[in-house]
Amino acid sequence: MYRSLVFLVAALLSQVTSSVLVPRANLVPHVSTTAIKLAGSGTSGAYPRLAVLPDNSLLGSFTSVSGTTHTLRVTRSTDGGSTFSSVGTIATSTGDLDNAFLLGLSDGTILAAFRNHDVDANRKPTYYRITVCKSTDKGATWTFVSQVVERSATTTNNGVWEPFLRLAADGSTVQVYYASENSGSDQDILMQSSKDKGATWSSPITVAGGSTTGRDGMPGVARFSNGTLICIFETTEGSTGRFNVKSVYSTNDGASWGSRSTVYIPTAADSNAGAPQVVIAQDTLVASIMTDEDSSTHNWSALTGIRFKVLTAAPAIQASWGHKTLVTADQAAWPSVFTLSTGTVYACGGSATCYAVALTAS
Ligand SMILES: *[C@@H]1O[C@H](CO)[C@@H](O)[C@H](O)[C@H]1NC(C)=O
Ligand SMILES: *[C@@H]1O[C@H](CO)[C@@H](O)[C@H](O)[C@H]1NC(C)=O
């Protein structure tokens, strides 16, 4: 019913504004049954992300953990994402090393931003960093570039987490979005930019959370065809500690950000939805979330009963999100979505191993 309505509205609009009927991709995602392994065999991992290089090869990144040793690993696909094989390691640490996000620049340089915290014997952070490293050999070897932000841990929560990288509209300025804690109950999304491939960074601007109380985190950004940006994030705003998903928008390529819109509120009152990412593919917004709304026991910090779902919407800054679709019923934390220039969308999840599945319109 809703599907045909969307089609009808799109058809009517395009008849009014143009003589060419522009087909809109169907909003209902179909999840491929083929899981593409991002990790090499025998390698478990979490926090999977994809990036594309100028030669159209794809890089996958994820965190593998062995005892207290965390390793940020990189795999590469030269067949459009059908198969991946290991290429290198960004960094290894017994600290709190995680949340790697890759960005391929036009000159072939690849930047990786990640959280890189020192911890004490109880694994409580003592020093926080968002670190940037680079590779000029397609992910095989990595060298240190800069700390975007670093600070000593205080007795109140003051961490920095979950960097997301994007190239600005000028094609050369790099933007990093990340979560910055003000206290245990309040966190903002900040953005800093670099005009020298990550060597130096501007002062932060606030993307979300400056005038609200809640844990705004896990930012992801996508760009509409008219240049407007949408930033999606999780927040506890207005829900006493439970997470839901919201968005903000920018009409000046990230320099300043507008009002908040709801993306998703989990169905069960005591459940959570968070860790979102977003892409725009074939004129459709696609968001990934993790949620414990189907679980009978809710322990978000222990990731109990976490499932990976996607939502879609027609492009709008206050989008009507729907068509919720399960990607996997297995425990799958910190998922992501990524789109190729061809319009293919990959949904990436991590449980026993990290994988990608293609999403198509059914
Ligand atoms: C949730 O999980 C955390 C971490 O595993 C644990 O410390 C906590 O006791 C759990 N909470 C409940 C209500 O079970
Ligand atoms: C840009 O495109 C989005 C998505 O179609 C739309 O919601 C927005 O109103 C457009 N214009 C501006 C100035 O953001």
Side-chain angles (χ1 to χ4, degrees):
M1 178 76 173
Y2 182 66
R3 285 160 59 178
S4 48
L5 189 68
V6 168
F7 244 107
L8 185 64
V9 171
L12 286 175
L13 278 179
S14 56
Q15 274 168 16
V16 171
T17 56
S18 153
S19 59
V20 181
L21 193 71
V22 181
R24 173 187 296 288
N26 192 309
L27 291 171
V28 180
H30 169 77
V31 180
S32 166
T33 52
T34 306
I36 303 156
K37 271 192 162 186
L38 294 186
S41 57
T43 316
S44 67
Y47 212 85
R49 297 291 182 271
L50 291 178
V52 66
L53 301 187
D55 68 0
N56 282 324
S57 62
L58 295 179
L59 291 187
S61 60
F62 58 92
T63 311
S64 69
V65 177
S66 172
T68 57
T69 301
H70 292 216
T71 304
L72 303 178
R73 298 186 188 278
V74 179
T75 56
R76 182 160 176 248
S77 171
T78 54
D79 56 12
S82 296
T83 58
F84 284 82
S85 51
S86 293
V87 287
T89 292
I90 303 166
T92 299
S93 169
T94 53
D96 183 6
L97 183 74
D98 205 339
N99 302 161
F101 196 98
L102 303 179
L103 180 70
L105 306 181
S106 57
D107 69 353
T109 304
I110 306 150
L111 299 182
F114 50 92
R115 83 177 197 228
N116 175 22
H117 305 337
D118 297 341
V119 295
D120 66 16
N122 298 317
R123 299 205 63 77
K124 198 171 169 321
T126 56
Y127 197 86
Y128 296 108
R129 300 178 197 86
I130 299 290
T131 300
V132 171
C133 286
K134 74 171 178 185
S135 171
T136 52
D137 56 8
K138 298 185 178 179
T141 60
W142 294 83
T143 53
F144 173 79
V145 177
S146 64
Q147 311 291 6
V148 177
V149 53
E150 58 182 319
R151 56 203 185 205
S152 295
T154 62
T155 49
T156 54
N157 298 46
N158 67 326
V160 284
W161 313 91
E162 305 134 7
F164 173 96
L165 293 171
R166 76 175 282 271
L167 210 51
D170 66 11
S172 60
T173 302
V174 175
Q175 298 178 342
V176 61
Y177 296 74
Y178 60 90
S180 174
E181 283 177 285
N182 303 312
S183 71
S185 59
D186 189 51
Q187 184 173 268
D188 296 343
I189 311 276
L190 305 183
M191 189 274 278
Q192 295 181 236
S193 54
S194 172
K195 293 186 179 302
D196 51 16
K197 298 182 202 173
T200 59
W201 295 90
S202 71
S203 322
I205 61 127
T206 302
V207 172
S211 57
T212 52
T213 301
R215 291 188 62 88
D216 293 7
M218 289 294 305
V221 180
R223 184 177 183 271
F224 295 115
S225 52
N226 63 7
T228 295
L229 304 181
I230 181 170
C231 176
I232 193 172
F233 53 93
E234 64 180 24
T235 182
T236 55
E237 181 199 9
S239 59
T240 55
R242 305 289 174 186
F243 281 93
N244 60 84
V245 180
K246 292 189 176 174
S247 68
V248 289
Y249 68 96
S250 170
T251 54
N252 54 14
D253 203 39
S256 62
W257 291 82
S259 57
R260 298 155 83 89
S261 305
T262 295
V263 172
Y264 189 68
I265 295 171
T267 50
D270 53 354
S271 64
N272 300 269
Q277 292 285 284
V278 65
V279 293
I280 298 170
Q282 298 173 43
D283 206 24
T284 302
L285 276 164
V286 184
S288 55
I289 58 165
M290 66 184 205
T291 178
D292 62 354
E293 66 185 2
D294 302 329
S295 167
S296 54
T297 54
H298 304 285
N299 190 332
W300 190 244
S301 60
L303 300 174
T304 306
I306 298 286
R307 285 179 166 181
F308 176 8
K309 299 185 181 183
V310 290
L311 305 158
T312 65
I317 54 178
Q318 287 184 297
S320 296
W321 291 94
H323 310 288
K324 183 175 66 179
T325 302
L326 184 69
V327 176
T328 174
D330 296 339
Q331 178 82 16
W334 318 113
S336 63
V337 272
F338 183 77
T339 182
L340 306 181
S341 58
T342 54
T344 298
V345 176
Y346 283 117
C348 304
S351 50
T353 186
C354 285
Y355 58 86
V357 293
L359 298 181
T360 49
S362 58

